[in-house]
Amino acid sequence: MIILGIETSCDDTALALIETRTEGGIFETRVIGSLVHSQADLHSQYGGVFPTLAKREHGKNLVPLLHRLLSDCQADIASNDELSREAFDAALEPFIKGLTQQNPDLFESLTHADFLKQIPKIDRIAVTEGPGLEPTLWVGIMFARILGALWKIPIIPVNHMEGHIVGSLLASDAPHGSWQRLKDLPMPAITLLISGGHTQLVLVPRLGSYEIVGETKDDAVGEAFDKVARLIGLPYPGGPHISKLADQAAAEHIESPVTLPRPMIASKDEDFSFSGLKTAVLYAVRDAADKETGALSDSFKKGLALEFETAVAETLSVKLKHAIDKHAAGSIIIGGGVSANRMLRERFAHIAEEYGIPLYMPSAHISGDNALMIALAGALDARPHATEPTAQGTKRLGT
Ligand code: KG4
Ligand code: ZN
C-alpha cells in the first residue's frame, strides 16, 4: 500500500510518500520520498509563528511541493490512468466556493495544476487533523479532501503527536528506499513528547493506544526555548540557537551567571511547568543588561543558555524517570522538535542505560515536523477509514 502524508499543523509544509507491507505478519515500510518546506525564516521577523501568514504560505506551497514529490517518485507511483478535463473540473467543483473564500492561493495554484490529472498509484492519504493551528490545519485537510476527490482514495485523519511517537520508530540508518521493520518496542512504552506546542508524557500499552499521563500546565518546553532565545536577542526558532550557545559555554568552561529553578521536580506527579523558568530568565536578563544600552555580554548569554538547558534537562529527566518507575515501562520513546537537543539526547541515553531498556529518538532529519511520520501513523491506523478529518484532533491523544 502506498500512502501520501500531508502535514500543515504549524509552520512547515510537508509531504511524504511511503509504502507498507506485512510480511509473515510483520509490518514493514519504506520511504519513497519526503519533502519539508520550512517557513521559519519568514516567521522569524515576528518572533514566532504568525498563523495567517502560515496559512497563506501553506496554500502557496502545497501544490508545487506535491508536483516535486510526484516527479521525484515517478518510478514508484506512475500509472497510465488520467482524468479528463471534465472529470477534473467536476471533482474540483464542490470545493471552489470554499477555496476562493478561504484560500485563494491554494485555489489559484490548483487551477494550473494539470499534473494532478495524472492519477498516481496512491492508496490512501494521511493528513494531520490536530493538534496544531486551526487555520493551517484546515489548508492541509482541504488539500487532502481535494486530492481524495480527484483520485478517489480514502483520507485518514492523523493526530500530530501520534505522528511524533511512531516517527521515532523508524530506523535512522536504513538506506533510502529500503524496506525496514519498526523498532521492537517492549510494552508498555513511555513517551516523552517535547515540541513547540506540547510537553507530554504518554503511556503506550500498544501502538494505537495512548494515554496522556502528564503534561505541561503552562508553556511547552520548545516554547520556553523560543521565549528565552527571544529574551537574549536570538531569532525564532530559538531552540537550536540556545543549544549552540550552551555548547559554546560548556566548551569554554563559562560559569553560569545565575541559578535557575528546576520547576516541579519535587512534585510526585508527571506534570510540567516552564513559565516560572522563563520568568526567572527574564529577571536575570533585566538585572544583567547594560543600564544604558540594554546590551548583554556574550559570556552572560552563553552561561545563561547552558544553565537554562541544564534546568530543562534535569526537570525532564526527573519526570521521565518518575513515569518509567510508576508505569514499569519497558521502553522509552522521545518525540518532537526539541528532541534534536544534544544535551537532552545524552541525558535520555543515560536514563535508558540506567534502566536497561531501549530508547528510541527520531533521527535528526525527522525530529522536526515532517509528513513521513504522518504517513506512517496513517498506515498503522487500523480504524475504519470513512472518517472525515475535522481539524479538532483525534480523541485518542486526548486533544
Ligand atoms: O515538533 P516541532 O518541529 O514543531 C511543533 O510541533 O511544535 O518543534 C519545534 C520546537 C521549537 O520550539 C524549536 O525551538 C525546538 O523545537 N527545537 C529545539 C532544538 N531544535 C528545535 N529546542 C532545543 N534544542 C534544539 N536543538
Ligand atoms: Zn511537531
Side-chain angles (χ1 to χ4, degrees), residues 59-327:
K60 282 187 196 160
N61 298 335
L62 276 167
V63 171
L65 205 64
L66 181 65
H67 193 197
R68 225 178 92 204
L69 183 71
L70 297 184
S71 311
D72 290 354
C73 303
Q74 266 306 310
D76 293 284
I77 49 126
S79 83
N80 292 324
D81 300 334
E82 200 175 338
L83 284 168
S84 65
R85 167 54 61 189
E86 294 71 36
F88 182 86
D89 289 346
L92 210 55
E93 219 285 319
F95 300 98
I96 292 178
K97 190 160 167 246
L99 276 176
T100 44
Q101 284 171 0
Q102 298 273 330
N103 211 310
D105 292 308
L106 181 56
F107 177 64
E108 172 68 20
S109 59
L110 278 166
T111 52
H112 297 111
D114 265 1
F115 74 94
L116 292 176
K117 288 199 284 176
Q118 202 69 42
I119 304 175
K121 278 196 283 178
I122 295 175
D123 304 286
R124 289 180 181 182
I125 298 171
V127 61
T128 305
E129 69 161 353
L133 302 170
E134 194 140 338
T136 66
L137 286 166
W138 268 114
V139 188
I141 290 170
M142 190 62 94
F143 191 53
R145 282 189 180 154
I146 292 167
L147 296 180
L150 281 175
W151 300 335
K152 301 203 169 25
I153 48 176
I155 299 164
I156 312 161
V158 169
N159 181 295
H160 181 83
M161 306 314 286
E162 184 175 1
H164 276 302
I165 295 177
V166 300
S168 297
L169 302 180
L170 286 168
S172 48
D173 51 358
H176 186 81
S178 67
W179 286 101
Q180 57 170 297
R181 294 181 175 183
L182 294 187
K183 288 172 179 162
D184 190 30
L185 201 60
M187 296 294 187
I190 195 80
T191 301
L192 177 63
L193 291 173
I194 40 179
S195 74
H198 289 81
T199 304
Q200 293 177 330
L201 277 163
V202 181
L203 182 65
V204 187
R206 61 185 164 77
L207 278 185
S209 170
Y210 307 98
E211 184 192 347
I212 297 172
V213 291
E215 60 190 328
T216 182
K217 294 183 175 304
D218 40 59
D219 292 350
V221 64
E223 193 180 356
F225 266 98
D226 295 337
K227 286 179 176 171
V228 165
R230 199 171 168 184
L231 286 172
I232 58 175
L234 298 169
Y236 171 86
H241 297 285
I242 295 279
S243 174
K244 206 166 136 196
L245 281 190
D247 286 351
Q248 287 170 1
E252 294 166 26
H253 306 288
I254 293 174
E255 293 273 311
S256 169
V258 283
T259 303
L260 295 171
R262 273 64 174 153
M264 292 181 68
I265 51 168
S267 69
K268 290 274 168 263
D269 57 22
E270 291 144 286
D271 289 331
F272 306 88
S273 163
F274 291 103
S275 74
L277 182 55
K278 173 199 67 193
T279 311
V281 171
L282 173 72
Y283 291 144
V285 166
R286 264 195 209 156
D287 291 346
D290 183 283
K291 296 289 167 282
E292 273 163 29
T293 62
L296 297 163
S297 73
D298 277 353
S299 74
F300 173 86
K301 288 190 211 171
K302 288 177 187 171
L304 183 76
L306 181 57
E307 171 66 4
F308 171 75
E309 201 177 78
T310 310
V312 169
E314 286 178 9
T315 306
L316 292 177
S317 300
V318 166
K319 295 290 179 173
L320 177 59
K321 284 165 84 165
H322 180 63
I324 296 170
D325 289 334
K326 186 166 168 190
H327 304 286

Side-chain angles (χ1 to χ4, degrees), residues 11 39-57 226-227 230 234-238:
D11 61 342
Q39 305 172 10
D41 288 348
L42 211 62
H43 294 284
S44 114
Q45 56 188 308
Y46 303 100
V49 179
F50 188 37
T52 329
L53 180 63
K55 175 186 165 187
R56 207 164 59 221
E57 283 301 304
D226 295 337
K227 286 179 176 171
R230 199 171 168 184
L234 298 169
Y236 171 86

